[in-house]
Amino acid sequence: MLYAIFATDVSDSLERRLAARPAHLERLESLQEQGRLVLAGPTPAIDSVAPGDAGFSGSLVVAEFASLEAAQAWADTDPYVAAGVYAGVQVRPFLKVFPR
């Protein structure tokens, strides 16, 4: 089943986010190689594709996991969690309707 992982950054997370980004991307690339990643990316803190020093307010990942517990365990071990980038993470079941 698909799960949506919604993460919210702490204030002034940009420096920590950039430092942990290579390890974070490595985990996402692994999901992609396994054919389990639907989409992933950050949410800019401002209405811009290049937010610069404004940074990001969080992230969204939609991927396939065996269970809600497996998705939560994956989210809990994200390098951004360990680096203190995220203030909180929510994992919810997700039903993809479009695109087909």
Side-chain angles (χ1 to χ4, degrees), residues 1-93:
M1 180 164 187
L2 294 178
Y3 294 88
I5 301 169
F6 302 95
T8 305
D9 282 21
V10 298
S11 297
D12 299 317
S13 64
L14 187 57
E15 187 174 316
R16 284 178 269 186
R17 180 180 269 273
L18 293 174
R21 188 169 192 260
H24 173 77
L25 293 180
E26 186 176 312
R27 294 179 81 231
L28 292 170
E29 287 171 358
S30 178
L31 283 179
Q32 183 173 344
E33 290 168 2
Q34 297 168 31
R36 297 171 42 204
L37 184 64
V38 175
L39 64 88
T43 53
I46 60 173
D47 188 13
S48 174
V49 297
D53 291 340
F56 301 92
S57 61
S59 299
L60 170 64
V61 175
V62 178
E64 183 179 345
F65 292 93
S67 66
L68 177 61
E69 292 78 17
Q72 186 69 60
W74 187 90
D76 289 345
T77 57
D78 191 285
Y80 283 173
V81 171
V85 173
Y86 292 153
V89 178
Q90 285 190 325
V91 180
R92 297 182 193 160

